Every structure is written in C-alpha cells, then in structure tokens.
Amino acid sequence: MTLIIVLILIIFLIDWIPQFNTWQSRIKIGQFQSQEDWKNKVLDLSKKWLFKTPTITITDNSRLIIIDILKGNYKKNAIQHWQEAALLLGLIEEYKSSKSETTKVIINTYFDNKVDANGNWKQLPTEIDSVILGYALISIPWLDLAKNKPAFDALYQLILSLKGEDGTIAYKKHSKKFRYVDTIGFICPFLVEYGVKFNNEEAINLAVLQITEFNKYALLNETFIPCHTYNIETKLPVGLFGWGRGLGWYAIGLIDAWKALPDSHLAKKQLEDNVIQFAKMAMQFQQKNGGWHWLITNKSSQFDSSTAATLAWFLANASTIESFSNECKIAKENALRYLQKVTRRNGAIDFSQGDTKGIGIHSQRFDILPFTQGFVLRTLYK
C-alpha cells in the first residue's frame, strides 16, 4: 500500500512540478528596466542553455507524462539539435559584436564536444533537422575549415541521401513525397555556406532549387504566404497556409542563403527579389503589439514568440536592401519590443509554440524554446 502511494506521489510530482515552475516564472514577466538589461539577461541564459539545453517535448500532454516518457514519446535528439544550433548562432553573433574571449571559449568548448580532433562527428547526425547545427558550426569565424571538412562533408552526404527524383530534398525517408517548409530552414543556409567555403557549386544550386521549387508549388497564389508542405507528385500544397513558425523556417532559409551568396552569383538577385516579396508579406501580418499569431491569418490564435524571433532576424537583414530599409527596421524594433514584454525574469523568452506533430497537427503548447532564445540573441547583436 505504501509503495502504491509513493508511486502515485511521484507521478503527481512529475506532472505538477513543470506546471508550477511555468506559473511562478511568469510572475512579473517582461518587467525590465531597459533594453540593455533585457539583452544581458537573454545573453546570460543563452550561455547556460548551450550546454544544458531545456528539453523540448514532442508531446503536448501535461498529465500522466510518465507514460510518454516510458513510450519514448517525450523527447528526441533531432529537436534538441536545432535548439542548440540557434543558441550557437546567437553566441556567434554576440562574439562578432563584442569579441568576448569568454564567448569564444564557450563556442570552442561546445565545438569540441561535437567534433573530434580529426574533424569527424563524435556522434554522427542522422536527421535533416541536425543540418542547421552544422550551419552554426561552419559559421564559427575562426574555425579551421580544412581540418574539420569531414564533419561538413558528412552532413552534405546526409542531405544528398534524401534527394528525390525531382532533385529536391525530402525531410524524412518515410515521407519522400512531401517537401516541407521546415527543410528550407534546416538545409539551405548550410548548403550555401558549404558551397561557398568549399567551392561546391552543386551545393549552392541545390539550396536555390529547394527554395525556388517550394515557391512554385507551396505559396498561396500571389501573396507569398507559405504552406506547410507540398506533394511532389500532385504539385499541390498540403497543410496550413500561414503557419507562423513555417514563415520562420522559410525566412531563415531564404535570408541566410541570400546573405551567404557572393554578390557576383547569378542567383543573388533572384533570392533578393524573394526577400523583398516575403518581407512585405510578413510585415503585413505583424500586429500592433509587434508580434505575429501562430496562424498569421487568424487574429484569435495565440501569439507565437518563435515567429517573432525568426522574422525579427529576417527583417534585420532585409533592412540592408535600400529600397525599404526603414520599413524593415521599424518592424524589427517592434518585434523586439514584443519579445522583451514576453521574457521571464531569468531572461527566457516565453510563449513559443511547441514542436509540430505532423502535417496539419500543430502544437497548442506555448512555452520556452531555446530556438527562439537564439534568434532573439542573434537579432539583438546584429
């Protein structure tokens, strides 16, 4: 009898403690004395999270989560990789701005945890989600690229292993008929950086093809609003148009690929035109508080911080295009003001949508997300 009571108590605590922590952490949310205080809090927490990243669950359940844990439905490494990637990208941007030796040591320590002395992965990534981590690593300014080329070659081969008959990259081996907007964010920045740094034009062309094919079949008419995915056989979009973080994935893939391309490259102007079209669309759906809804066309849906963070980064970079620089800068600053207001006392940005479960199955859990943290940091130090 005593054992049963103890087990019930443990199950209760496993469910209750996370909910209590969330409740108490939202007390006095967003009450920072200045943007500089907020910026420092975001930075300090990002440094801590890089090595001890909060677990992002693959379930929305808040009751009897012990069952999800036992079934293996609670977390997976691929999700954690894109959390860490964003944090690393944020710290790289902070280093470029501050030249902080402390930040450099943190980045080097993280790199050494992932890649061995011969330039090979200590634990080889097997999911396309992990390629964005490779993008973060290849973006380290002082990295010895030649020495560590085997790790980046391995990611390139992972990408090629998922190439379909249409020449574009699938997200998973078991869903080869679909091309997800997520994949644009996961692979395109890496492909262009890899192609430029290792003189591989095929890698660059593959990134451009991934974007341009998606543009053909998964944008809503002339609006430039992306759908979640499209079927390569029917050429029809599948899932929701206007999913907020879907905009974020597209934005990352497009803006970072465009930035990495040399001005002389033939695709530079083509991608710049896409940047302008996407920026105009994104700003159209920004709300008065500076944020975006998780479903941008539905004003009754929850605001999503991961959308605001990724679009703020996109707009910060799009503002370098002279034709509408001021408009982008204003929208970016408004997004940052929104993000400051939803930051917890410890510097954690709150109210980010959880992990998507499948086509049209979107999380209704809104909580912390290190991915959001990293892109806020990236934008603050841009």
Side-chain angles (χ1 to χ4, degrees), residues 8-57:
I8 291 171
L9 182 61
I10 290 171
I11 291 170
F12 172 76
L13 289 174
I14 288 173
D15 288 350
W16 181 78
I17 289 174
Q19 294 177 59
F20 174 78
N21 284 338
T22 298
W23 172 80
Q24 66 80 24
S25 66
R26 286 173 174 166
I27 298 170
K28 295 186 178 180
I29 193 168
Q31 296 183 22
F32 295 92
Q33 295 298 313
S34 66
Q35 189 181 71
E36 195 63 27
D37 288 342
W38 172 54
K39 187 176 179 179
N40 291 333
K41 279 284 191 181
V42 171
L43 173 61
D44 289 344
L45 191 61
S46 297
K47 289 177 179 178
K48 293 176 185 176
W49 276 0
L50 184 63
F51 296 102
K52 195 174 181 181
T53 311
T55 297
I56 303 307
T57 65

Side-chain angles (χ1 to χ4, degrees), residues 58-274:
I58 55 177
T59 176
D60 273 8
N61 294 334
S62 59
R63 298 284 188 274
L64 298 175
I65 59 176
I66 187 67
I67 296 173
D68 289 313
I69 294 171
L70 293 174
K71 286 184 175 180
N73 294 331
Y74 190 68
K75 65 177 182 177
K76 61 181 179 180
N77 287 336
I79 295 176
Q80 295 301 113
H81 280 167
W82 50 272
Q83 310 306 317
E84 294 171 22
L87 291 168
L88 184 58
L89 287 167
L91 290 173
I92 289 170
E93 205 66 36
E94 189 269 332
Y95 173 80
K96 289 178 184 177
S97 172
S98 68
K99 297 298 185 288
S100 165
E101 285 301 313
T102 301
T103 301
K104 188 172 184 178
V105 169
I106 289 170
I107 293 170
N108 282 337
T109 303
Y110 180 84
F111 184 87
D112 292 341
N113 287 343
K114 297 295 180 184
V115 180
D116 66 24
N118 296 315
N120 292 298
W121 288 95
K122 290 183 177 179
Q123 185 174 354
L124 184 66
T126 57
E127 301 284 350
I128 212 76
D129 314 54
S130 304
V131 174
I132 193 173
L133 179 57
Y135 170 59
L137 296 178
I138 205 173
S139 300
I140 297 172
W142 59 86
L143 191 69
D144 186 336
L145 291 171
K147 177 185 173 184
N148 294 290
K149 189 172 183 288
F152 302 123
D153 287 344
L155 287 180
Y156 184 50
Q157 291 305 313
L158 170 62
I159 293 170
L160 293 181
S161 72
L162 289 164
K163 183 185 279 191
E165 294 179 1
D166 65 335
T168 62
I169 306 302
Y171 177 44
K172 303 281 185 185
K173 289 180 180 178
H174 59 73
S175 59
K176 289 188 175 181
K177 293 181 182 180
F178 298 98
R179 296 296 178 264
Y180 290 77
V181 69
D182 317 45
T183 308
I184 291 173
F186 286 138
I187 71 170
C188 291
F190 171 81
L191 284 169
V192 177
E193 281 287 345
Y194 178 86
V196 170
K197 288 178 175 174
F198 295 114
N199 195 29
N200 186 326
E201 189 66 21
E202 288 183 4
I204 296 173
N205 291 339
L206 181 54
V208 175
L209 180 68
Q210 193 79 17
I211 293 170
T212 54
E213 287 294 289
F214 191 90
N215 290 353
K216 282 182 190 176
Y217 305 116
L219 296 182
L220 182 59
N221 301 325
E222 303 300 318
T223 66
F224 227 80
I225 299 173
C227 191
H228 189 174
T229 183
Y230 72 94
N231 186 306
I232 62 169
E233 294 180 351
T234 64
K235 308 300 185 186
L236 292 174
V238 183
L240 290 175
F241 282 97
W243 168 43
R245 193 154 68 241
L247 266 70
W249 285 126
Y250 185 91
I252 296 164
L254 176 60
I255 203 70
D256 282 48
W258 171 72
K259 275 191 339 135
L261 276 178
D263 289 341
S264 59
H265 198 280
L266 291 175
K268 184 78 172 185
K269 180 63 170 64
Q270 176 187 356
L271 291 190
E272 184 170 305
D273 289 342
N274 292 161

